[in-house]
Amino acid sequence: MIAELGHFALILAFVMALVQSVLPMLGAVKRDARLMAIARPVSIHMFLMVGLSFAALTYSYLVSDFSVANVVQNSFSQKPLIYKISGVWGNHEGSVLLWVLILVFFGALVGAFGSNLPAPLRAATLAVQAWVVSGFLLFILATSNPFERQLPAPIEGNGLNPILQDIGLAIHPPLLYIGYVGFSITFSFAVAALILGRLDAAWARWVRPWTLLAWVFLTLGISMGSYWAYYELGWGGWWFWDPVENASLMPWLSGTALLHSALVMEKRDALKVWTVLLAIITFSLSMLGTFLVRSGVLTSVHAFATDPQRGVFILVLLCLFIGGSLSLFAWRAPLLKQGGIFAPISREGALVFNNLFLTAATASVFVGTLYPLALDAFDGTKISVGAPFFNLTFGPLMVPLLLVIPFGQSMAWKRGDLLAVAQRLYAAMALALVLALVMLWSWGADNILAALGVGLAVWVMAGSVSELWSRGKFSSVGPLKGIRRIVGLPGSAWGTAVAHFGVGVTVLGIVSATAFQTEVVLTMKPGQSVDVGSYQVTFDGLSPATGPNYIEDIGRFTVRKAGVVAGTMTPSKRVYEASRMPTTEAGIMTSGVSQLYLALGEIHQDGSLDIRAYFKPLVLLIWLGCVVMAIGGGLSIMDRRLRVGAPTPSRRRQTSSSGTAGTSTSGAGTSTGAGS
Amino acid sequence: MIFWFVASLLAVGAALVILIPAQRARRADFAAEDSLSADMAVYKDQIDELDRDLARGLIEPETAGEARIEIARRLLGVDELLKSRSSANKGMSRYATALIQGAALLFIPVASIVLYLFLGVPGAEDQPLQARLNVPSQDQSLDVLIARVEQHLADNPNDGQGWDILAPVYMRIADPARAATAYAKAASLLGSTYQREIGYGEALLAIDQGIVNDEARAAFERANRLDPEAVKPRFYLAEALTQEGRVEEARTAWRRLLEDAQEGAGWVEVARTRLAELQGGELATDAPGPTAADVSAASNMTEADRAAMIEGMVAGLSERLTTEGGGLQEWTRLIRAYVVLKRPEDAQAALEKAKNSFKDESTAIAQLEALGRELGLSVSQ
Amino acid sequence: MTRKQRRLITIGSVGAVLVLAVGLILAALNDQIVFFQGPTDIVEKDLPLGQRMRLGGLVEEGSLERFEDSRVAFKVTDGANTVAVTYQGILPDLFREGQGVIAEGELIGARAFNADTILAKHDENYMPKEVAETLKKQGVWKGNE
């Protein structure tokens, strides 16, 4: 009965989404308060219904109800509890349901917390959100129904892909989905504003916290996914330019651009057309990512659905939403009024620069991801576009972006003074240069690129610190007051500095782990030792072990540094009972933010085994930097300015900056450019 | 019934979620200002921030002035919008009521229930695994019983009794690999017994499709030591010798076995055939006979089943020999089989056919005639 | 600065970044993409030695040999033709004889290939798409699609 109720709740949610798609939109266009009034409660109720349905599916997994086909295909009675839960979204049907759950969750958030929005905009936004919800619920009900029954029920399920039996998977897709589905709200806002014909500074201000929220989750999701691949796949790499990874990177890049351009729109009423276009593009890329992953067009680590019927269905949805919104854009955008003007050297100019490079980078990832597919479809030639392509295109596009971050965030709105900004950044510049030269001197000229990379990372970090520092105006107000000034800076100012600092941290991790890593591949006999970086790794032997649902061979290694035992490592090879599939569990030893990484290969008859060992200096900074970026985003969301807008006079005490002073989250760069 | 009750509650809830707010909004006036006051709030707020920043010295008075002018311009824009809108359409009260009520009272309940009837399985109960396993045994299928024991064993892998129970059941559902594991586990936990060893050996035999491999032979040898009188281990050991081509030893083994035989036992005929083949000096391995696994399966069967199986095998052999032809040895086996099955006419016919197919070979004809005489068939033309 | 100048600067800078991006992409597409070839392609097309490519097919049964220092040699076949592959490193978990494989590296002889990357996918039933198509073309594999 619970499974059937879940099914019914899902259908009810679909029917409500249809109502929500039509009535509030009609109300917003015709200015009818009653039609608009249903949007908020319905958005919340829809979330409850999809939530109920998701809970019902989870229940079926928990009690191993093998009369539900989805449970039979993806679960196993002896599976550990945590994987029964993560199994709910570890398959095609469940993951699309999760996708929709997050979609309606964001709708409900706007319904619940959007009291500062004008009624027509809110109603229209929720209606557009409901269009997307209806589309994807129809997709679920028509092609991927998780509540299909299998009667009579078999007594045992078919298990779950063991590579998906991992704690990282339990957290990874929900986070990633929250990120890229979150951009649906920005999309809905943009389409609603185009329909209502109202796009101005106030709109940008209402949209920005939602964009930030989605961006924070996507940042965390991507970094967690990267860490998962790093320790689970046993290849020692942390980013593979796999199409599925690219599918999440593209919305992140354009979402980052959107964050920055919405700022210009909010402060100066400029870049309107561009911002709306970015909002549409960002969610379109999210949907494209969903399509790539779910349709089976690509085959990669994450692609567990291959069903042409589903692929075509999502493709049609995709064309409908993307094509429809872009046509609407083309029709309505020319009606927008020109906004404020600004000099090329200004905060706005810097943000335009940021946008140019971020979109160019998005485009390069887009081409690299889709070109092979297009070529295959066009003349059947099969090519693979791998890391070298992206290193050559993405890398050079990132360098100027990073170079100008410190300038950009220090620049004044409207007209900036490059010389004054440069003077403030002397210390950061000097620090970066000195460090780069020291690196060059100690590592030799061969590592010139690495040294420059380190310098760049330090430049970005030091630039952020120096920006905060200069806000303290210590020279004029004294140390105590200066500190108070810095602490009292608005959340968005802190957010900017912290997020940009995080960018520097990640860059430092990437440069260091790439340029200075040590890799050793060899066959080891028990008792044999090998040097990896400054560590000495000794292979003590192999021992078998049994886990809850797998058997494994654990390699025991003792790690010494300068003769002193630093620890033991136990990488293993597992075979899962349900599917007889082997996986590699890497052994990782962390010291500071550097890691020693061991992965087992073939185990030979004589007890020797192949191992792959890496020493990756500062590798943890890659992910820590992402966390710092997310914290920066969070600080920005917390800025009370963003919650302003409701006509409540009690909101009198916001901290913070103004329409023109340079204090909010910003992007990079000097460069040229004028408003759109 | 509970399902429909809860489902209608959900549908009613959905309808109310639409009806109630619409009802409330009817009382509120739907003035357009409402929507634009939010815009005004944003801009007023921006001016407040500007003042505050100026007071704290975060921006220069000059830039603050410029910004103030810009924001004020936006505020004026909202005002103009407000005026132009005040004369605009203020709602569609007539249609709105119909739309809302139609959606809430008609569309939502009807569409959701119709869709559900179309897609769902109304009345299908949940079947949590634990509940299914807890149903009393006599009401359960074999699968459920097996799953129950398996679940028990997953929690208590050292319960030898459980493995003992499960092992023969696996054999019955033709899963010899699991049966072998189960027998081996039972033996290692509770010690070696005749039943466990013979079961283990037979399971291995079934896995290897009738070949007695080294491990199986070791099991049969252990079983033989545990019960030297028992026929099965001796039968399989003889079979092993035959398969290995150790003709002399195999002959002795079969002969000894037949000496102790009780008439009518299913295996006796196989043993005789084997012996006959060996005495013919040829090795049995080139002629596909009933595999030991078939025989072991046969010895577990009821009389009727066993007869049916043998009939099936004989029919297959006859068919093959008639259409494709075959060796003398195979014809001999067919004829003997017919006699054992008490089908003398068929035996006679088979003899004629065999003679026909060997009509150019006088030694073969002679052997066939000898066989016919031995079995009491008519050999004269 | 006049409005016109500003616009010129905008267009100029957008154009510059665009040219840079397109240039980078084209250059990279020229040099950095890797073509996928089956054993038959390699035999028939007479491809130049030293060119990077991906070779896909089935690992021939019984062809895997292991040497010192994790060196391996095996043969990749599509039923019609066979190419010998050498590789040094750890083979992926799912590398098996008789299963699909993709090797990336360069051609070092008419039918000899030196791989620096070996890919086998993470699903027992899964056949890399390119490999499946190559094999279908040669009529070896009749997948369930």
Side-chain angles (χ1 to χ4, degrees):
Chain A
M1 187 192 84
I2 302 240
E4 291 301 306
L5 268 183
H7 198 174
F8 183 77
L10 197 63
I11 290 170
L12 194 57
F14 172 63
V15 173
M16 292 182 86
L18 291 180
V19 172
Q20 178 89 320
S21 300
V22 178
L23 297 194
M25 184 52 86
L26 214 56
V29 173
K30 298 277 182 192
R31 316 210 144 259
D32 185 292
R34 278 176 300 161
L35 290 176
M36 287 192 278
I38 69 167
R40 296 179 71 180
V42 170
S43 70
I44 295 168
H45 201 74
M46 239 157 48
F47 169 60
L48 292 181
M49 286 303 107
V50 179
L52 189 67
S53 144
F54 193 80
L57 186 62
T58 310
Y59 169 82
S60 296
Y61 267 85
L62 284 181
V63 300
S64 296
D65 185 342
F66 293 125
S67 66
V68 177
N70 191 253
V71 181
V72 180
Q73 281 150 22
N74 302 294
S75 195
F76 190 69
S77 63
Q78 304 298 327
K79 196 158 72 171
L81 181 69
I82 172 89
Y83 300 124
K84 278 186 184 164
I85 298 173
S86 66
V88 176
W89 59 78
N91 62 83
H92 171 79
E93 288 82 1
S95 68
V96 183
L97 185 60
L98 178 71
W99 203 93
V100 172
L101 179 67
I102 292 168
L103 197 61
V104 290
F105 170 70
F106 274 94
L109 275 185
V110 172
F113 299 106
S115 49
N116 62 341
L117 302 172
L121 178 63
R122 186 174 55 220
T125 302
L126 288 175
V128 175
Q129 186 82 357
W131 298 351
V132 184
V133 173
S134 319
F136 280 88
L137 277 180
L138 185 65
F139 172 65
I140 290 187
L141 292 174
T143 71
S144 323
N145 198 330
F147 290 105
E148 219 145 85
R149 302 298 287 259
Q150 184 160 340
L151 301 168
I155 201 71
E156 187 52 282
N158 304 339
L160 169 77
N161 188 340
I163 201 151
L164 306 179
Q165 294 198 17
D166 184 281
I167 193 70
L169 183 92
I171 316 163
H172 177 217
L175 266 180
L176 210 56
Y177 280 179
I178 287 180
Y180 68 61
V181 178
F183 283 114
S184 65
I185 277 296
T186 331
F187 171 85
S188 300
F189 266 110
V191 172
L194 284 174
I195 290 174
L196 299 178
R198 285 213 44 218
L199 271 163
D200 47 31
W203 178 85
R205 189 168 193 150
W206 289 316
V207 170
R208 215 156 68 86
W210 302 103
T211 318
L212 266 170
L213 192 66
W215 182 86
V216 165
F217 278 113
L218 187 55
T219 307
L220 288 177
I222 290 177
S223 63
M224 193 162 293
S226 150
Y227 191 74
W228 173 71
Y230 169 72
Y231 87 95
E232 176 64 21
L233 297 184
W235 300 333
W238 44 270
W239 191 263
F240 300 97
W241 296 105
D242 175 293
V244 175
E245 289 172 319
N246 294 348
S248 66
L249 182 63
M250 287 190 279
W252 187 85
L253 290 169
S254 69
T256 309
L258 173 62
L259 270 186
H260 291 97
S261 76
L263 199 65
V264 178
M265 181 160 168
E266 175 189 340
K267 296 296 184 197
R268 299 298 324 283
D269 210 18
L271 294 187
K272 288 196 263 193
V273 175
W274 174 240
T275 304
V276 169
L277 183 62
L278 267 183
I280 291 173
I281 285 177
T282 302
F283 185 58
S284 300
L285 289 171
S286 300
M287 284 195 290
L288 183 75
T290 313
F291 165 71
L292 290 180
V293 177
R294 290 282 138 237
S295 67
V297 163
L298 315 157
T299 36
S300 88
V301 180
H302 301 249
F304 22 93
T306 34
D307 188 332
Q309 187 204 345
R310 290 170 176 170
V312 170
F313 201 115
I314 301 194
L315 192 62
V316 169
L317 276 184
L318 209 65
C319 292
L320 221 62
F321 287 127
I322 299 178
S325 56
L326 287 179
S327 317
L328 184 70
F329 172 80
W331 175 42
R332 297 291 243 181
L335 305 178
L336 293 176
K337 259 190 284 176
Q338 176 89 349
I341 50 170
F342 51 85
I345 306 284
S346 64
R347 176 72 73 94
E348 294 93 320
L351 291 169
V352 169
F353 182 91
N354 149 298
N355 267 245
L356 271 176
F357 277 87
L358 279 176
T359 13
T362 313
S364 80
V365 178
F366 185 86
V367 170
T369 310
L370 292 176
Y371 181 64
L373 295 174
L375 199 62
D376 189 4
F378 183 65
D379 67 353
T381 313
K382 293 185 182 19
I383 58 166
S384 86
V385 173
F389 171 87
F390 295 101
N391 291 344
L392 196 68
T393 54
F394 189 78
L397 287 173
M398 283 296 115
V399 172
L401 197 57
L402 294 171
L403 267 178
V404 293
I405 284 180
F407 288 110
Q409 64 187 353
S410 306
M411 196 79 71
W413 290 96
K414 221 166 171 182
R415 274 183 304 275
D417 183 347
L418 193 54
L419 206 64
V421 171
Q423 271 168 355
R424 277 198 279 170
L425 290 168
Y426 273 159
M429 247 181 252
L431 184 66
L433 272 177
V434 167
L435 266 171
L437 286 175
V438 168
M439 296 299 295
L440 205 56
W441 178 70
S442 58
W443 289 85
D446 293 344
N447 286 304
I448 183 152
L449 276 178
L452 288 178
V454 171
L456 193 58
V458 171
W459 162 239
V460 174
M461 288 190 278
S464 299
V465 174
S466 125
E467 161 65 13
L468 277 183
W469 184 260
S470 68
R471 290 293 191 83
K473 295 206 165 144
F474 287 93
S475 53
S476 58
V477 299
L480 256 176
K481 235 182 151 187
I483 288 172
R484 223 178 295 145
R485 280 180 67 101
I486 292 179
V487 172
L489 282 175
S492 65
W494 272 101
T496 307
V498 170
H500 287 159
F501 188 83
V503 173
V505 172
T506 295
V507 172
L508 184 61
I510 292 173
V511 170
S512 164
T514 312
F516 305 120
Q517 79 163 354
T518 320
E519 177 181 358
V520 184
V521 178
L522 80 167
T523 308
M524 286 182 102
K525 290 188 169 56
Q528 196 180 335
S529 292
V530 64
D531 288 327
V532 184
S534 55
Y535 292 92
Q536 205 185 25
V537 178
T538 310
F539 175 39
D540 300 327
L542 265 182
S543 50
T546 312
N549 54 349
Y550 56 83
I551 49 171
E552 60 181 345
D553 285 311
I554 300 179
R556 284 172 287 110
F557 294 85
T558 305
V559 182
R560 290 181 182 80
K561 187 166 192 175
V564 184
V565 173
T568 56
M569 293 173 75
T570 52
S572 67
K573 272 185 99 77
R574 282 185 188 166
V575 177
Y576 284 84
E577 278 163 16
S579 57
R580 316 299 305 164
M581 200 143 104
T583 66
T584 304
E585 301 291 307
I588 293 178
M589 192 172 85
T590 306
S591 93
V593 288
S594 306
Q595 288 187 327
L596 189 62
Y597 183 106
L598 290 185
L600 299 188
E602 196 70 28
I603 296 170
H604 301 289
Q605 294 291 326
D606 60 352
S608 66
L609 51 77
D610 294 342
I611 73 155
R612 204 182 332 206
Y614 303 90
F615 178 66
K616 293 177 173 285
L618 307 189
V619 68
L620 275 184
L621 290 186
I622 296 174
W623 303 289
L624 283 178
C626 293
V627 173
V628 173
M629 278 187 242
I631 291 174
L635 285 174
S636 246
I637 297 176
M638 260 129 35
D639 189 328
R640 300 189 56 181
R641 284 181 317 119
L642 290 178
R643 277 176 266 155
V644 165
T648 35
S650 61
R651 291 269 177 78
R652 283 269 139 193
R653 293 213 56 252
Q654 298 91 9
T655 37
S656 168
S657 68
S658 75
T660 47
T663 44
S664 41
T665 326
S666 91
T670 47
S671 164
T672 51
S676 55
Chain B
M1 266 304 86
I2 303 177
F3 167 75
W4 285 112
F5 178 70
V6 180
S8 19
L9 270 188
L10 291 179
V12 168
L16 288 181
V17 157
I18 292 175
L19 282 179
I20 292 176
Q23 195 63 33
R24 266 198 210 136
R26 185 200 290 267
R27 274 180 260 126
D29 59 335
F30 26 92
E33 295 93 287
D34 191 33
S35 69
L36 294 170
S37 62
D39 298 56
M40 311 265 280
V42 168
Y43 298 133
K44 279 181 185 143
D45 207 71
Q46 284 190 332
I47 289 190
D48 281 353
E49 287 164 18
L50 198 63
D51 291 342
R52 217 166 305 116
D53 283 359
L54 191 62
R56 300 177 71 210
L58 282 172
I59 47 168
E60 303 304 317
E62 192 187 329
T63 32
E66 278 179 24
R68 196 189 306 277
I69 292 168
E70 237 184 72
I71 299 169
R73 209 179 293 139
R74 288 179 212 155
L75 258 171
L76 285 176
V78 175
D79 255 354
E80 275 168 32
L81 214 57
L82 209 70
K83 282 185 196 116
S84 70
R85 285 265 171 85
S86 57
S87 58
N89 192 345
K90 277 205 176 181
M92 41 182 300
S93 47
R94 258 192 309 157
Y95 303 111
T97 315
L99 274 174
I100 289 167
Q101 288 176 349
L105 301 175
L106 207 67
F107 181 69
I108 289 210
V110 172
S112 59
I113 286 171
V114 167
L115 254 182
Y116 174 73
L117 288 176
F118 185 63
L119 291 171
V121 187
E125 286 302 312
D126 289 334
Q127 302 191 22
L129 190 63
Q130 204 53 51
R132 288 166 74 193
L133 297 182
N134 288 341
V135 171
S137 319
Q138 60 267 28
D139 298 345
Q140 289 186 338
S141 68
L142 187 60
D143 285 353
V144 175
L145 292 173
I146 294 174
R148 207 153 90 177
V149 182
E150 275 175 345
Q151 199 184 37
H152 166 78
L153 285 174
D155 297 336
N156 314 289
N158 292 328
D159 179 4
Q161 299 283 338
W163 293 112
D164 246 355
I165 294 170
L166 212 46
V169 181
Y170 280 137
M171 274 312 271
R172 231 165 80 203
I173 61 169
D175 190 345
R178 285 199 178 156
T181 320
Y183 275 121
K185 284 216 167 145
S188 72
L189 290 166
L190 301 177
S192 176
T193 65
Y194 171 77
Q195 272 309 332
R196 289 175 195 138
E197 294 299 350
I198 197 80
Y200 182 57
E202 286 186 322
L204 293 175
L205 210 63
I207 295 171
D208 242 352
Q209 283 154 8
I211 307 295
V212 186
N213 59 29
D214 291 349
E215 216 180 329
R217 199 181 53 204
F220 293 133
E221 277 164 1
R222 285 195 297 273
N224 189 31
R225 271 199 297 281
L226 287 162
D227 184 357
E229 295 296 304
V231 171
K232 268 191 184 175
R234 291 166 65 197
F235 177 94
Y236 290 123
L237 288 170
E239 177 72 24
L241 291 169
T242 313
Q243 285 176 5
E244 280 167 51
R246 288 151 73 174
V247 180
E248 275 313 311
E249 290 164 83
R251 252 184 237 161
T252 326
W254 288 120
R255 224 175 269 129
R256 286 231 188 93
L257 194 58
L258 284 169
E259 280 164 15
D260 298 345
Q262 292 163 341
E263 270 312 314
W267 54 269
V268 169
E269 186 51 36
V270 181
R272 284 218 183 97
T273 315
R274 285 285 195 273
L275 188 57
E277 287 160 3
L278 288 166
Q279 276 164 340
E282 289 176 53
L283 292 183
T285 40
D286 63 332
T291 64
D294 291 339
V295 175
S296 102
S299 60
N300 281 334
M301 288 176 184
T302 64
E303 280 304 321
D305 286 348
R306 190 177 302 149
M309 176 181 137
I310 293 171
E311 296 274 1
M313 277 172 1
V314 169
L317 184 61
S318 157
E319 166 96 26
R320 186 161 59 81
L321 291 177
T322 316
T323 54
E324 297 167 20
L328 177 61
Q329 208 186 331
E330 285 173 308
W331 281 108
T332 311
R333 197 187 304 158
L334 181 64
I335 297 162
R336 279 183 186 281
Y338 279 133
V339 173
V340 171
L341 290 172
K342 307 216 165 29
R343 284 159 63 179
E345 297 83 9
D346 291 327
Q348 187 67 50
L351 181 64
E352 299 309 328
K353 272 190 208 156
K355 277 165 77 178
N356 200 31
S357 74
F358 289 103
K359 57 180 179 267
D360 303 330
E361 298 173 46
S362 53
T363 48
I365 298 284
Q367 279 184 29
L368 282 170
E369 285 178 350
L371 177 75
R373 272 191 291 280
E374 180 200 328
L375 295 173
L377 301 171
S378 95
V379 289
S380 55
Q381 292 296 1
Chain C
M1 221 183 287
T2 64
R3 213 180 170 93
K4 203 170 172 187
Q5 275 173 314
R6 281 209 184 104
R7 188 159 292 162
L8 273 177
I9 291 175
T10 315
I11 294 170
S13 60
V14 170
V17 175
L18 222 65
V19 167
L20 173 71
V22 170
L24 283 172
I25 290 172
L26 286 181
L29 278 182
N30 236 3
D31 300 340
Q32 305 296 345
I33 57 170
V34 179
F35 284 86
F36 179 92
Q37 314 283 4
T40 301
D41 296 325
I42 287 178
V43 171
E44 285 173 0
K45 284 188 195 161
D46 195 23
L47 296 161
L49 299 188
Q51 187 190 323
R52 275 196 76 77
M53 62 180 78
R54 283 185 166 198
L55 165 66
L58 294 178
V59 182
E60 195 170 75
E61 294 279 358
S63 69
L64 180 66
E65 291 178 84
R66 294 178 187 278
F67 305 99
E68 287 289 288
D69 298 332
S70 321
R71 277 177 201 283
V72 293
F74 58 90
K75 288 183 176 138
V76 170
T77 177
D78 58 8
N81 289 288
T82 302
V83 172
V85 179
T86 52
Y87 172 69
Q88 177 172 24
I90 293 184
L91 292 170
D93 291 336
L94 291 170
F95 182 91
R96 304 264 169 78
E97 290 186 349
Q99 299 271 343
V101 69
I102 291 179
E104 188 169 330
E106 58 190 55
L107 214 52
I108 50 172
R111 289 183 179 212
F113 190 86
N114 184 39
D116 47 38
T117 312
I118 299 283
L119 304 170
K121 290 288 183 164
H122 284 262
D123 175 352
E124 287 262 273
N125 306 317
Y126 171 62
M127 179 71 66
K129 195 174 61 164
E130 294 85 354
V131 174
E133 279 168 22
T134 309
L135 294 179
K136 271 184 188 158
K137 218 160 54 191
Q138 301 296 332
V140 174
W141 189 59
K142 294 164 192 70
N144 42 354
E145 269 183 39

